[in-house]
Amino acid sequence: MPPMRSFLPRMLEPRRLAHQGVAISGVLDQAFCDRLTEAVIDIVEPIDVELRFDTAEQGRRVMTGTVSTSVLIPCQRCLEAMPLALSTEFRLGIVWSEEEAASLPKDLDPWLVDSEAADVAEVLEDELLLTLPFVSYHSKDQCNEEAGYSTGEHPAEESAKTPFGILKQLKNSGSNN
């Protein structure tokens, strides 16, 4: 049995942690991830997090890390649930202002922290949301296309009811005259 991992707090003090060079690992509570919960059918594995806070070149405070989980998302073809592993690495520059964010090197994404404590859960959720595919499909051999939307009618009759199907019928009936 794997060792128990502790839950990360929602709020952290990133500048203090960076000054101290702290590494943190744990599980992010799914209750902190409303947007991810709404974007998927279900979050089926713990949200594992590895964070490292440090001071980089020119005294910049930096948070690097990984966040991963597995979710169920709908197949766009058959609408049935399909599993998807989400995993991403990130490197964020901890900044006070938009001006400071604009001056970050290209390899650092900004994390705007305008007070001592910041919502790390929100940032980690953002990173996971960015890994979700725009569209998702089962592979053809796993997809149950029959589960998709259907009126139960013959496909030719169904396509005749679509706007292009109607245009095709009008065009064909016009050319017969």
Side-chain angles (χ1 to χ4, degrees), residues 42 55 104 109:
D42 194 16
T55 303
L104 285 175
D109 289 324

Side-chain angles (χ1 to χ4, degrees), residues 164-177:
F164 292 110
I166 293 168
L167 287 174
K168 185 176 178 183
Q169 282 182 332
L170 290 173
K171 182 180 174 221
N172 288 342
S173 66
S175 62
N176 292 340
N177 294 347

Side-chain angles (χ1 to χ4, degrees), residues 8-10 28-35 119 121-122 125:
L8 291 177
R10 181 176 195 142
L28 182 63
D29 190 337
Q30 293 179 14
F32 299 156
C33 298
D34 292 340
R35 294 173 297 144
D119 189 341
E122 181 179 36
E125 182 181 29

Side-chain angles (χ1 to χ4, degrees), residues 74 93 145:
E145 291 183 67

Side-chain angles (χ1 to χ4, degrees), residues 30-86:
Q30 293 179 14
F32 299 156
C33 298
D34 292 340
R35 294 173 297 144
L36 181 62
T37 301
E38 289 175 14
V40 300
I41 295 170
D42 194 16
I43 301 171
V44 294
E45 286 187 12
I47 303 171
D48 286 322
V49 179
E50 303 280 336
L51 301 176
R52 173 113 188 122
F53 294 87
D54 228 329
T55 303
E57 64 283 342
Q58 300 176 350
R60 287 190 178 93
R61 306 279 204 259
V62 175
M63 179 178 77
T64 57
T66 60
V67 59
S68 61
T69 188
S70 288
V71 296
L72 291 177
I73 58 174
C75 170
Q76 307 289 286
R77 188 175 14 238
C78 70
L79 304 177
E80 290 186 359
M82 60 182 267
L84 177 69
L86 301 180

